[in-house]
Amino acid sequence: MTRITDLELLVRIADLGNLTAAAKALDWSPAAASAALKRMEEQLGFPLFVRSTRSLRLSGEGQRYLPHARAALRALTDGRDEALAGREALSGVLHLTVPSDLGRHVLLPWLEQFQERHPALTLRLQIGDPLTDLLRRPVDAAVRYGPPAGNAQVALPLLPDCRRVLVAAPHYLALHGLPTSPEDMARHEALRYLRAGEVPTHWPVSIAGEPVNLPLVGRRVADDGEVVKRWALAGLGIAYKSWPDVAQELASGQLVHVHPHWRGDPSPLHLVVPGRAQLSPALRQLRDELRRRLEEFARSMPR
C-alpha cells in the first residue's frame, strides 16, 4: 500500500523537478527520498520519472498517475485534519507575524478560515515587513521570505521553489519601453524595497545562466512591500517582487512580467519558529495548511 508520505514526495518531485529539493522541502534526507521513490515505483510496477543527470521528469505513466495521486493525497490530508480536529480542539493564543503584501492579499483569507474551524484559538496577527527576532519578541512564528534572521531559529519550508520577478504596469512599459539590456535598467525608475535599513543599489538576476546585477536608479523607496506594489500598479516604475506577492496581478494583466528570461533571485517562503520545541499542535496544523494552500495557489497561477 502506498504511504501518504510517499504521495507527498511524488507530488513535491513533480512540482520541483528535483529529488533533492523535494527531500529538503519535506525535511527528508536525499537517500530516504530516493529509497521511497524506488519503493513506490516497485509497488506500482512502472517508473514514475525519467531520470537525467540534472533533473527528473515525469514518465508517460507518471503523467497519467499524478492527478490521481494529487486527489488521493488531498482526500487523505483533509481526512487526517478532520480527524485531528475532532480529537484535539486547538485552543490558546497564537501570535503570528506575516509580510504586509502577502499577508493582506493572500494569507489573510486562509487564516480567517483556519480560525473559524478552531473557535477556541485566538489569533494575534501582526502584519509588516520588518524582520522579527523571535527570541526577543513575544511572537510564536513568522511567515518570511528568505532564511531565518538567526542561527537559533528554525525555518520550515512553505513554498521553497519561489523567486523574485521584475514587474511593471502595462501603461508604464507602453510609455517607457522594456529595458533593452541589463545596463538599460539605469534609465528606468526602480521601485525599491528598503530591507534591514539598506537601500539596494542593484537587483541580482541570472541571464542565460550567468549572474548579473541590474543597476538601479529611482526616487521611490519604501520599507513596506505593499507600497512598492501599489507604485508599480500606478505605473510609476519597475518593481522586483517575490512571485506570490504579484501572482494575482500578473494573472489579471494589471502587471506584466518584465523579461521572464531574466531569472530572479531565489526567495523561498518559510514559517520561522524559535525552535522545534516551540512547534505546538496549532502551529503544526497551521504550517501544514499554509503549505498545502500555497502549493495549490502556485499551481493555479501563471509563472
Side-chain angles (χ1 to χ4, degrees):
M1 179 180 295
T2 303
R3 306 176 184 178
I4 185 172
T5 52
D6 290 350
L7 289 175
E8 289 176 336
L9 176 66
L10 166 60
V11 169
R12 284 304 182 96
I13 297 174
D15 289 343
L16 299 178
N18 184 282
L19 187 143
T20 301
K24 183 178 179 181
L26 294 171
D27 293 328
W28 289 23
S29 71
S34 179
L37 178 58
K38 182 179 179 180
R39 177 177 63 244
M40 193 166 18
E41 290 179 325
E42 289 176 349
Q43 290 173 341
L44 293 170
F46 55 79
L48 290 164
F49 294 93
V50 177
R51 292 151 173 82
S52 70
T53 55
R54 302 185 65 178
S55 66
L56 301 177
R57 62 177 177 85
L58 284 166
S59 65
E61 297 91 341
Q63 291 177 4
R64 292 187 288 272
Y65 181 75
L66 181 62
H68 300 283
R70 289 193 192 277
L73 179 60
R74 190 177 302 112
L76 289 169
T77 303
D78 290 345
R80 181 183 61 188
D81 289 346
E82 288 183 14
L84 288 174
R87 185 190 67 183
E88 180 183 8
L90 301 182
S91 61
V93 178
L94 183 59
H95 193 162
L96 184 69
T97 175
V98 299
S100 64
D101 200 345
L102 184 76
R104 288 186 176 94
H105 302 291
V106 178
L107 301 183
L108 186 57
W110 303 342
L111 293 173
E112 290 172 350
Q113 292 169 12
F114 182 79
Q115 195 166 13
E116 286 177 1
R117 291 197 301 276
H118 305 286
L121 182 68
T122 297
L123 182 63
R124 292 182 182 174
L125 189 61
Q126 176 183 328
I127 296 182
D129 289 322
L131 298 177
T132 300
D133 187 342
L134 303 185
L135 300 178
R136 298 186 180 184
R137 298 285 300 277
V139 176
D140 296 308
V143 176
R144 284 292 179 262
Y145 290 108
N151 293 332
Q153 299 178 12
V154 176
L156 305 171
L158 292 177
L159 195 62
D161 184 28
C162 181
R163 290 184 175 272
R164 293 185 173 89
V165 291
L166 290 164
V167 295
H171 53 287
Y172 173 85
L173 296 176
L175 184 62
H176 299 279
L178 283 168
T180 57
S181 67
E183 295 75 18
D184 193 36
M185 269 296 298
R187 73 173 180 85
H188 285 268
E189 179 77 10
L191 307 173
R192 290 180 282 180
Y193 172 65
L194 185 69
R195 185 175 179 85
E198 296 185 1
V199 179
T201 58
H202 67 274
W203 288 331
V205 299
S206 174
I207 303 177
E210 295 295 326
V212 176
N213 287 326
L214 304 179
L216 303 182
V217 174
R219 297 174 298 138
R220 294 177 175 86
V221 182
D223 67 349
D224 187 295
E226 185 177 10
V227 170
V228 173
K229 185 170 74 174
R230 288 187 181 185
W231 284 339
L233 288 168
L236 298 177
I238 297 176
Y240 192 47
K241 295 282 292 176
S242 295
W243 173 82
D245 290 349
V246 293
Q248 293 169 328
E249 290 75 17
L250 288 171
S252 68
Q254 293 174 279
L255 293 175
V256 175
H257 195 168
V258 178
H259 286 309
H261 61 284
W262 292 5
R263 191 168 172 80
D265 216 26
S267 182
L269 190 65
H270 295 100
L271 181 70
V272 183
V273 296
R276 292 190 181 274
Q278 285 73 42
L279 197 58
S280 65
L283 271 179
R284 289 181 185 276
Q285 287 199 37
L286 180 63
R287 175 201 60 184
D288 292 345
E289 172 146 341
L290 288 181
R291 186 165 61 185
R292 183 170 67 252
R293 294 268 198 160
L294 284 163
E295 289 172 349
E296 292 173 353
F297 178 76
R299 288 195 297 271
S300 68
M301 291 291 174
R303 299 303 292 264

